[in-house]
Amino acid sequence: MKKIVFGICSLTVFFGCGGAPNVEPIKASPNVSSIAKPISFGEQDWPLWRGQHQNGLSPEQSAPLKWSETENVIWKSPVPGRGHSSPSIVGDDVFLTDADEKQETQSVICFDRTTGKQKWSTVVNSGGISKKHRKNSDASATPASDGHSVFTAFANHDRLQVVALDFDGNVIWDVDAGEFKSEHGYGSSPTFHENFVIVNGDSRGGGFIAALDRATGKIAWRNRRETTSRHGNYSTPVVATLAGKPQLIQQGYGRTVSYNPETGEEIWRVDGPSAVTANTVAFSDPYVIVSGGYSEKVTMCIQADGTGDVTDSHVKWSNSRNIAYVPSPIIADENVLVLSGEGILTSYNLQTGKRNWQERIGGNFSASPVRVGDYYYITNEEGLVTVFQAGEKYEKISENRLESAGGMATPAVSGNQLFIRTDSHLYCLGQAESVEPNGITLNHSN
């Protein structure tokens, strides 16, 4: 496995490179103590896929409701390659993953949050790029930051590569987490629990879920995940406190499973929603909303307080119309919003599953909804962003398009600003301030 790193590599570690992954679970050892620093986020940071709590809900109360190429653009910066990862924002840094398809390289890029200037780019892999679906990219995993380092995952050389970098772009560790047999590429993003960074290694014909020590990259535990078909799976794992305890929720392969994030041991499981899922579960204690996909098309609400197989006892409701396959569902105000890939937006009551309303939105969708204050933002694949309110009925506020097309990445929110990745650029959108009294332009519309 050839690696190219621009910058000083302080420590590079490989576990299991060139060999087959363990088929038996690697159990967590209570005698191993981590030196990982405590996870530390600022209130305005957006450090993970779907935000600090992985629920798509921003702690901000406002963000731009209208914009264009000449209105409310704070900065616009070119992104050299191609990728569908969303921005992760910690302090003054904005992180993206990126890939050069011609050179077959995969990279992590950091931009200055204030100016949009690229601060560094580190190539962490060269060659061995996995085959992928035409709608996927070689850099679809959103990087995750614990406030001290940035972590991401790439599929290459028929393996799942997990990398940690410092905020100067130096590689801290680089680990082969296990075998990855690509069908449509990789689509899952890392998440955290205490000292661990957790990754989903689901792929064609089987996979795994694993926890790595954030400080060293050492695999703390890894569990095999058995598939119900020959297809891959693309969902991001989520750690949430449900029914009074932390639970690691992973859907796909024909079942939804809750794991103990400390040990990887299974807590409960439910059959469904489908063999293939490509979005992230939504949750509101004690409920979990799952939705897929292929070949079964089902949205389900699960009460997450069971043990063992709770298929017959803990599925509160389900339906099979206008399901979300790639866009993730979102929960707010005791309602569930489900956006289908064909642009049908449906609101359900969280506890009963009763449909509140349904609206057809223009275009096809892969990005997920984000809520800021009372407003929702959804981006279609052409890059048109619709802003709306969703109470007792749907109310469209605006439609917004940028000159740089493409809307596969979900927007991020920080400091009352939106960060939008298109096919070729990264935008920071906010209330543009033209000229200060001293004549210095701080923020400007491009």
Side-chain angles (χ1 to χ4, degrees), residues 23 38 52 70 90 103 119 148 176 180 205 209 221 266 275 302 398 416 418 422 428-429 434 439:
V23 295
Q52 288 194 21
T70 58
V90 176
Q103 298 296 321
K119 299 174 73 171
H148 315 285
D176 171 354
F180 187 89
I209 190 165
W221 59 258
E266 183 178 304
I302 303 167
S398 66
N416 299 318
L418 287 175
T422 67
C428 174
L429 307 176
S434 54

Side-chain angles (χ1 to χ4, degrees), residues 15 26 78 97 110 112 144 148 168 209 218 226 260 263 278 288 307 332 342 376 442:
F15 290 89
I26 298 175
T97 56
C110 179
D112 185 284
H148 315 285
D168 292 320
I209 190 165
K218 182 176 181 179
E226 297 179 356
N260 180 336
T263 64
V288 175
T307 303
E342 296 73 33
Y376 293 85
L442 296 180

Side-chain angles (χ1 to χ4, degrees), residues 5 8-13 95 108 120 122 124 143-146 148-154 161-176 190 192 197 199 212-218:
V5 179
I8 298 173
C9 177
S10 57
L11 176 64
T12 302
V13 183
F95 303 105
V108 180
W120 51 260
T122 300
V124 297
S145 176
D146 60 3
H148 315 285
S149 306
V150 59
F151 306 81
T152 195
F154 293 106
Q161 176 193 14
V162 186
V163 186
L165 302 94
D166 65 23
F167 281 8
D168 292 320
N170 303 312
V171 174
I172 302 170
W173 51 256
D174 186 335
V175 170
D176 171 354
F192 297 126
V197 54
V199 293
L212 289 72
D213 187 281
R214 289 189 289 112
T216 66
K218 182 176 181 179

Side-chain angles (χ1 to χ4, degrees), residues 270-291:
V270 165
D271 291 342
S274 59
V276 183
T277 59
N279 56 29
T280 303
V281 305
F283 57 90
S284 179
D285 191 20
Y287 302 114
V288 175
I289 299 294
V290 296
S291 187

Side-chain angles (χ1 to χ4, degrees), residues 190 230 241 298 380 392 396 407:
R230 297 177 61 86
T241 299
V298 181
N380 72 18
E392 295 181 357
K396 183 169 71 175

